[in-house]
């Protein structure tokens, strides 16, 4: 039946202690469809998959598979009823061969089949042969047959992703859940994946539910899309409806410019513009970063001039944080070159960068929760041997973020999220950097504190510190910056003045799967 629901979620809730990860999500996946489940980081998408597959038992609501409730069942029972899945992070058996990884999914047997295997009955032998034949067929479909005797850990990243899908299909599922299958793929590999998903739906009579940050894949392959943000539904509909929905645009791009600019005058706006021929403080050339087989950054080039605030923006998984970590030498490079203040950083140790004048305020803040605010700030100045300079910078931190002055003796872990972010930025400034890199300073923070943080960032730049900003609130970032670079799946697809990019429809396309060329 064309209108029958393969999978239904009714008011699903998932609470972890005091954290409400999913807050009453309802959706219906039509049988035979390719259904997208999207949203920014922390939206609750993978948590939904875990509730459907029995990894978590929902704290509220119901999950139905073809009209029958499955919430509360053990994961293996849910798999046996017809739900297969892949994982956000690859979970293969690295010491097993490619064929063994697929065959292991065929061992979901009833008690009768276990009885047969114990006594090696004829029925068992026939079943074993059919399992092997199915595994061989799946490996052939995914072009892995020639690698069947290789250990799965030796495969390329793309082959490992395909092997996970083949293993899930070994369960003969009716519904296939794919969790970020395009993560780390280049545009050519992502195009192949789109065609494979369509072919799987047809050849295996599947219903496919896709969680994916690559919007070009989502928008081109899904017939219906459900959008979540912070555990709640914000939109649902066809790709055309979703990509133009105001709440979706706000979730991916941030709030409008009228709030982001903070009412600054035209003179303030003009003062932000930096001469195009300014001297580069940071220059990145053909930088490449990989996590194992995942190519997170694919040969990007950018520069940050002295006195600028440059924004690095893009959708989840675009490679922004990986770029900052690579510049800071926290991640190794697979290729390319980075020059800071005229010095090649190829052979420079990460800790040396601090004394050279580079500081990073990382995503997630990474403050020391059991140390006081003052002790956290002192650690930021560990390379400074001048007590007068340390005192001066402490005073500057309090001027930038007055709340820190009120909480100097308070443990960092007891601060609010916004206050912890202020502390992370102030700690990075304690070394007196020429360049400070800020990774997602507004993530998970109340709007009133976001205003204060961006006011502090603007003061930092006006006082002469160069800033490279990664920020999930795109509109806010472009309102604060002079120039910006837009990343899509590890590649820079747009760059220019922030003022021009604010009005460029291709920026929205980079987030929501439209062509930017």
């Amino acid at each position: 039946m064309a209108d029958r629901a393969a999978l239904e979620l009714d008011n699903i809730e998932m609470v972890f202690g005091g954290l409400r990860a999913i807050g009453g999500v309802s959706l219906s996946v039509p049988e035979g469809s390719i259904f997208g489940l999207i949203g920014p980081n922390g939206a609750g998408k993978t948590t939904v998959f875990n509730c459907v597959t029995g990894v978590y038992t929902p704290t509220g609501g119901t999950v139905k598979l073809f009209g029958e409730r499955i919430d509360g069942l053990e994961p293996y029972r849910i798999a046996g009823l017809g739900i297969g899945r892949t994982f956000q992070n690859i979970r293969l058996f690295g010491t097993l061969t490619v064929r063994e990884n697929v065959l292991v999914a065929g061992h979901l047997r009833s008690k009768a089949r276990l009885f047969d295997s114990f006594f090696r009955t004829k029925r068992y032998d026939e079943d074993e042969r059919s399992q092997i034949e199915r595994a061989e067929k799946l490996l052939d479909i995914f072009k892995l047959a020639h690698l069947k005797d290789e250990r799965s850990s030796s495969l390329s990243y793309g082959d490992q992703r395909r092997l996970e899908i083949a293993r899930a299909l070994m369960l003969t599922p009716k519904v296939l859940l794919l969790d970020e299958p395009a993560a780390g793929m280049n545009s050519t590999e992502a195009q192949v994946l789109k065609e494979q998903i369509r072919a799987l739906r047809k050849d295996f009579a599947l219903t496919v539910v896709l969680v994916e940050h690559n919007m070009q894949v989502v928008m081109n392959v899904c017939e219906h899309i459900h959008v979540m943000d912070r555990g709640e539904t914000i939109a649902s509909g066809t790709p055309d409806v979703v990509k133009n929905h105001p709440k979706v645009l706000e979730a991916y791009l941030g709030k409008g410019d009228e709030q982001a600019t903070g009412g600054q005058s035209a003179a303030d706006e003009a003062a932000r513009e930096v001469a195009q021929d300014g001297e580069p403080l940071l220059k990145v050339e053909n930088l490449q970063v990989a996590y194992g087989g995942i190519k997170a950054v694919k040969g990007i080039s950018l520069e940050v001039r002295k006195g600028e605030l440059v924004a690095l923006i893009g959708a989840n998984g675009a490679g922004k944080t990986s770029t900052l970590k690579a510049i800071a030498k926290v991640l190794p490079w697979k290729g390319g070159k980075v020059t800071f203040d005229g010095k090649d950083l190829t052979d420079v140790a990460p800790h040396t960068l601090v004394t050279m004048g580079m500081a990073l305020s990382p995503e997630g803040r990474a403050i020391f929760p059991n140390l006081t605010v003052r002790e956290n700030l002192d650690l930021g100045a560990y390379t400074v041997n001048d007590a007068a300079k340390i005192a001066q910078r402490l005073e500057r931190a309090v001027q930038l973020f007055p709340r820190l002055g009120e909480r100097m003796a308070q443990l960092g872990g007891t601060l609010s999220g916004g206050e912890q972010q202020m502390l992370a930025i102030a700690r990075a400034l304690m070394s007196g950097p020429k360049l400070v890199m800020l990774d997602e300073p507004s993530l998970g923070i109340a709007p009133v504190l976001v205003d204060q943080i961006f006011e502090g960032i603007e003061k930092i730049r006006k006082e002469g510190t160069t800033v490279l900003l990664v920020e999930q609130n795109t509109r806010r970032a472009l309102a604060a910056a002079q120039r910006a670079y837009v990343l899509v799946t590890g590649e820079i697809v747009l760059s220019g003045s922030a003022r021009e990019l604010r009005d460029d429809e291709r920026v929205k396309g980079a987030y929501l799967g439209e062509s930017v060329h």
Side-chain angles (χ1 to χ4, degrees):
M1 295 177 59
D3 296 329
R4 184 168 69 150
L7 185 67
E8 296 174 275
L9 277 62
D10 184 16
N11 201 32
I12 285 293
E13 293 186 353
M14 190 67 224
V15 178
F16 301 97
L19 174 64
R20 196 180 188 207
I22 306 176
V25 169
S26 298
L27 58 86
S28 179
V29 181
E31 182 180 6
S33 67
I34 301 176
F35 187 98
L37 181 62
I38 67 171
N41 280 340
K45 308 178 296 294
T46 295
T47 303
V48 168
F49 272 19
N50 286 337
C51 287
V52 169
T53 56
V55 176
Y56 301 145
T57 297
T59 50
T62 61
V63 180
K64 293 182 179 180
L65 178 66
F66 294 104
E68 298 295 328
R69 282 189 66 172
I70 60 172
D71 51 281
L73 296 180
E74 296 92 338
Y76 77 91
R77 291 189 181 278
I78 293 173
L81 290 171
I83 294 185
R85 72 171 294 183
T86 64
F87 296 89
Q88 185 176 5
N89 299 313
I90 293 173
R91 296 185 184 178
L92 295 172
F93 298 98
T95 59
L96 298 185
T97 67
V98 168
R99 185 170 72 165
E100 287 168 343
N101 265 275
V102 177
L103 283 171
V104 76
H107 292 170
L108 185 69
R109 294 187 176 90
S110 66
K111 290 181 179 179
R113 290 176 63 194
L114 285 172
F115 178 86
D116 287 339
S117 68
F118 184 79
F119 289 104
R120 297 293 305 186
T121 65
K122 180 180 178 182
R123 180 170 64 173
Y124 172 83
D125 289 336
E126 291 175 349
D127 178 68
E128 194 74 0
R129 283 194 294 273
S130 69
Q131 294 286 346
I132 293 172
E133 289 172 2
R134 180 175 176 82
E136 299 280 0
K137 178 182 178 182
L138 287 168
L139 292 176
D140 189 54
I141 289 172
F142 287 95
K143 296 179 171 55
L144 295 170
H146 65 294
L147 299 169
K148 65 182 180 180
D149 295 321
E150 301 290 330
R151 285 191 176 187
S152 65
S153 58
S154 70
L155 299 185
S156 69
Y157 176 77
D159 285 342
Q160 288 187 25
R161 280 287 182 194
R162 287 189 286 276
L163 178 55
E164 267 213 321
I165 298 174
R167 184 177 63 182
L169 290 172
M170 192 67 185
L171 291 167
T172 61
K174 303 167 188 172
V175 177
L176 179 64
L177 310 182
L178 300 177
D179 198 348
E180 297 196 33
M185 291 185 176
N186 60 36
S187 55
T188 301
E189 290 170 331
Q191 178 61 38
V192 171
L193 177 67
K194 288 188 287 187
E195 298 305 319
Q196 284 182 329
I197 291 172
R198 293 191 185 101
L200 291 176
R201 189 256 302 265
K202 178 182 177 182
D203 296 342
F204 290 87
L206 286 171
T207 301
V208 180
V209 184
L210 177 68
V211 163
E212 181 55 62
H213 285 312
N214 187 324
M215 289 298 106
Q216 291 190 4
V217 171
V218 173
M219 295 295 171
N220 282 280
V221 79
C222 295
E223 292 113 6
H224 189 97
I225 299 172
H226 191 94
V227 191
M228 295 175 61
D229 188 22
R230 300 180 184 181
E232 298 182 349
T233 299
I234 59 172
S236 187
T238 64
D240 286 339
V241 168
V242 162
K243 70 174 62 174
N244 294 302
H245 195 288
K247 288 187 176 180
V248 176
L249 295 176
E250 182 177 316
Y252 278 92
L253 302 178
K255 291 185 179 296
D257 288 346
E258 68 282 353
Q259 295 183 14
T261 57
Q264 293 167 337
S265 66
D268 288 333
E269 281 283 313
R272 288 223 207 95
E273 299 300 333
V274 175
Q276 292 296 307
D277 57 354
E279 183 181 352
L281 178 63
L282 177 72
K283 190 171 184 179
V284 177
E285 302 172 83
N286 195 32
L287 182 64
Q288 301 164 51
V289 180
Y291 299 88
I294 304 175
K295 296 177 181 177
V297 180
K298 304 166 185 172
I300 69 169
S301 298
L302 60 86
E303 64 178 37
V304 183
R305 304 172 188 131
K306 290 182 179 179
E308 274 190 311
L309 194 161
V310 173
L312 190 59
I313 60 176
N316 296 335
K320 308 182 296 296
T321 292
S322 295
T323 297
L324 293 194
K325 286 183 175 180
I327 292 171
K329 303 300 292 287
V330 178
L331 286 178
W333 311 339
K334 290 296 184 182
K337 180 181 178 182
V338 178
T339 306
F340 176 64
D341 202 17
K343 182 175 177 59
D344 185 348
L345 300 185
T346 302
D347 298 319
V348 175
H351 66 273
T352 305
L353 291 176
V354 181
T355 59
M356 291 174 60
M358 182 188 294
L360 170 65
S361 176
E363 181 182 12
R365 302 147 200 167
I367 64 164
F368 296 95
N370 295 322
L371 299 183
T372 66
V373 169
R374 172 62 189 268
E375 288 167 338
N376 269 275
L377 293 173
D378 284 342
L379 282 173
Y382 79 97
T383 59
V384 183
N385 297 317
D386 188 326
K389 282 185 178 180
I390 293 175
Q392 183 182 20
R393 288 169 188 170
L394 280 169
E395 183 179 352
R396 181 192 183 203
V398 173
Q399 290 173 348
L400 285 171
F401 304 115
R403 288 193 180 212
L404 297 182
E406 302 167 7
R407 291 161 168 75
M408 279 291 174
Q410 190 171 329
L411 294 179
T414 66
L415 301 179
S416 71
E419 291 165 347
Q420 289 186 24
Q421 186 62 68
M422 294 175 188
L423 177 56
I425 295 172
R427 182 183 59 185
L429 295 172
M430 287 297 291
S431 62
K434 302 171 186 176
L435 170 71
V436 62
M437 298 188 292
L438 306 177
D439 196 353
E440 302 284 14
S442 79
L443 187 64
I445 296 174
V448 64
L449 293 184
V450 171
D451 292 340
Q452 294 178 31
I453 286 169
F454 270 89
E455 287 169 7
I457 292 171
E458 178 65 9
K459 289 177 183 176
I460 292 166
R461 190 201 64 80
K462 284 184 175 180
E463 291 172 3
T465 303
T466 304
V467 180
L468 178 56
L469 171 68
V470 162
E471 174 54 49
Q472 47 93 23
N473 187 328
T474 298
R475 288 169 174 158
R476 193 86 196 220
L478 292 177
Q482 288 81 55
R483 293 188 303 110
Y485 295 87
V486 183
L487 267 67
V488 173
T489 59
E491 300 174 300
I492 291 175
V493 296
L494 289 173
S495 64
S497 77
R499 181 173 292 177
E500 292 170 348
L501 291 176
R502 276 181 246 167
D503 301 320
D504 194 328
E505 284 295 309
R506 292 177 297 173
V507 174
K508 182 181 79 171
Y511 281 79
L512 298 177
E514 299 170 2
S515 173
V516 296
H517 300 293

